[in-house]
Amino acid sequence: MSAINFTLIKQDGQARLGSLKTPHGTIDTPIFMPVGTQATVKAMTPDELKQLGAQIILGNTYHLYLRPGHELIARMGGLHEFMGWNGPILTDSGGFQVFSLGELRKITEEGVRFQSHLDGSYHMLTPEKSIEVQEALGSDIMMCFDECPPSPGDRAYVSRSLEMTTRWARRCKDAQRRDDQALFGIVQGGIFEDLRARSACELQEISFDGYALGGVSVGEEKERMLDVMNFTAPYLPVDKPRYVMGIGTPEDLVEGINAGFDMFDCVMPTRNARNGMLFTSFGRVNIKGAIYAEDRGPIDPECSCYVCRNFSRAYLRHLYRAGEILASRLNTWHNLNYYLDLMSQARKAISDGRFADFRRDFYAKRDKTC
Ligand SMILES: CNc1nc2cc3c(=O)[nH]c(N)nc3c(CCN)c2[nH]1
Ligand SMILES: [Zn+2]
């Protein structure tokens, strides 16, 4: 009996419209998951996330294990109660973050020994430890502890790495103690279709509640990433959720849906917002630009969000240049609204059987200054 239940409602080409029932609520797919690494989606309150239509957010095992500690969060009632978010939460397993943040890592069959990027203290993350932390956090969906091989990894290394990721996935499933959390396997295999197929097949032999595509958006060429998404999806079960990790730009999301994926997460809308890079229906707006100094218009004339209805580009440029906290908040609000609204439009298009038109119109509008 799984803690989640995925229903495939409709398919339009490879694009899928689905519904994912979790212990903390039901998610419409395709879905974008705002990243809340340290128990907060930066600059947004949980209530604002709900107003924006966020249905599920992402937390990070690596960060929360290091600070404030998973036992403290468990004593505070778990991650949902600790951060005041009562919707679904997916937690990443820490493997990727150890490599992108930890220092002096040493990887062995047992797990990964690393130094904390916070204070240099030594730690060991193993499949069992990752599951222990994610169970203490109480997320609705846990991710298996995996190795995301360096890109572009050589074939021999990537092959050995995926075999260890499969052995770690088996250990993660054996380490599960709670029955109210789902566990997703993570497909690795680099840019090699046969290795991706092997990884997908090995994980399905163990059987998971959903399957993620890992090892992409790690510096490879865009074309390579699109290829990997398109040739891996057919090896994944039709009746389980499919999640591409760390994706991506609005274009990547449209291509990921077109390839048959259901779930996406990326720091881009939130991180870029704090750097003044705003997403719009016609492309990107760098709000720092002098051309916006006296621009009375909204970020995006096609956007109906609170920010576009109430503030000018001139004002947002001023806030950013003045280093005001409100700059991060308003820019994040707009960017998240853009990503979440894009997903909502995509779901409607699939439901109406016109995803191909949606995808064509999406590109037709891009790169038009406004
Ligand atoms: C930004 N690009 C990116 N690629 C990823 C690959 C993995 C990956 O291969 N494994 C895991 N566990 N996480 C990944 C993440 C973090 C997702 N929040 C990635 N992010
Ligand atoms: Zn807006």
Side-chain angles (χ1 to χ4, degrees):
M1 173 69 179
S2 170
I4 61 169
N5 181 49
F6 180 69
T7 305
L8 180 56
I9 297 166
K10 181 164 184 180
Q11 196 143 353
D12 182 1
Q14 292 309 308
R16 296 149 43 103
L17 179 70
S19 176
L20 180 57
K21 193 172 179 329
T22 80
H24 280 87
T26 298
I27 303 161
D28 301 310
T29 66
I31 190 80
F32 177 77
M33 303 183 281
V35 176
T37 290
Q38 301 189 103
T40 161
V41 174
K42 290 179 172 37
M44 293 287 103
T45 67
D47 184 52
E48 290 167 340
L49 291 171
K50 291 280 180 179
Q51 288 178 53
L52 281 162
Q55 298 183 35
I56 177 171
I57 62 171
L58 194 131
N60 271 315
T61 295
Y62 170 85
H63 296 80
L64 296 174
Y65 160 76
L66 288 177
R67 183 178 57 189
H70 59 294
E71 287 109 340
L72 181 149
I73 292 176
R75 290 193 297 272
M76 293 298 118
L79 186 53
H80 290 86
E81 191 168 334
F82 187 53
M83 70 181 289
W85 169 261
N86 62 8
I89 296 176
L90 180 147
T91 44
D92 199 358
S93 53
F96 179 80
Q97 290 77 25
V98 161
F99 280 89
S100 50
L101 278 173
E103 283 150 27
L104 293 177
R105 288 99 46 192
K106 182 169 171 24
I107 188 165
T108 62
E109 184 67 31
E110 178 59 15
V112 186
R113 179 173 161 74
F114 65 96
Q115 271 189 286
S116 162
H117 71 290
L118 297 176
D119 60 10
S121 54
Y122 283 93
H123 301 268
M124 183 79 183
L125 253 187
T126 65
E128 292 78 13
K129 186 69 178 179
S130 177
I131 294 299
E132 176 198 326
V133 173
Q134 295 182 79
E135 293 201 331
L137 298 175
S139 50
D140 300 271
I141 301 172
M142 301 187 288
M143 300 307 294
C144 281
F145 189 68
D146 64 322
E147 183 193 10
C148 174
S151 172
D154 70 83
R155 185 185 165 83
Y157 183 92
V158 169
S159 180
R160 284 195 310 277
S161 171
L162 85 83
E163 289 163 2
M164 186 168 68
T165 284
T166 300
R167 292 193 295 273
W168 283 359
R170 172 78 265 174
R171 285 168 55 188
C172 285
K173 188 168 183 182
D174 293 344
Q176 269 191 280
R177 293 287 167 271
R178 294 178 57 161
D179 61 6
D180 60 347
Q181 292 176 282
L183 180 61
F184 281 19
I186 303 177
V187 174
Q188 294 292 352
I191 57 171
F192 309 102
E193 180 169 352
D194 62 322
L195 298 185
R196 287 284 180 180
R198 179 141 66 87
S199 177
C201 179
E202 289 177 356
L203 292 175
Q204 286 171 74
E205 281 166 14
I206 301 169
S207 182
F208 289 99
D209 301 306
Y211 296 87
L213 180 68
V216 289
S217 186
V218 286
E220 75 280 5
E221 288 162 35
K222 186 72 77 174
E223 281 314 303
R224 287 267 70 75
M225 182 188 77
L226 296 177
D227 286 347
V228 171
M229 283 199 292
N230 281 290
F231 66 55
T232 305
Y235 295 103
L236 300 177
V238 169
D239 62 344
K240 297 275 180 74
R242 300 163 173 181
Y243 162 29
V244 192
M245 305 189 87
I247 299 289
T249 65
E251 295 83 354
D252 296 340
L253 294 182
V254 171
E255 294 313 306
I257 294 168
N258 191 56
F261 286 91
D262 311 303
M263 300 167 74
F264 307 89
D265 89 276
C266 191
V267 295
M268 210 168 261
T270 41
R271 183 177 294 169
N272 284 27
R274 298 193 302 279
N275 296 325
M277 190 62 72
L278 305 174
F279 293 95
T280 74
S281 52
F282 51 87
R284 289 156 181 69
V285 166
N286 180 342
I287 200 64
K288 294 171 271 194
I291 55 169
Y292 302 120
E294 300 195 27
D295 187 331
R296 299 176 71 109
I299 297 169
D300 184 347
E302 289 197 9
C303 182
S304 60
C305 85
Y306 164 70
V307 180
C308 291
R309 282 185 285 109
N310 289 282
F311 305 104
S312 67
R313 289 168 174 178
Y315 179 63
L316 294 170
R317 178 175 183 271
H318 158 66
L319 288 182
Y320 184 85
R321 294 179 74 240
E324 283 294 341
I325 294 167
L326 190 59
S328 291
R329 283 184 43 68
L330 297 180
N331 290 352
T332 300
W333 181 289
H334 166 80
N335 275 0
L336 281 179
N337 181 79
Y338 176 75
Y339 267 65
L340 294 166
D341 186 56
L342 182 65
M343 292 294 101
S344 174
Q345 289 176 45
R347 293 193 295 265
K348 182 77 173 61
I350 300 167
S351 179
D352 297 345
R354 55 177 178 77
F355 181 75
D357 293 343
F358 165 81
R359 181 168 172 243
R360 189 194 56 242
D361 296 347
F362 167 80
Y363 285 109
K365 287 181 197 168
R366 311 294 288 166
D367 297 332
K368 304 236 180 336
T369 51
C370 175

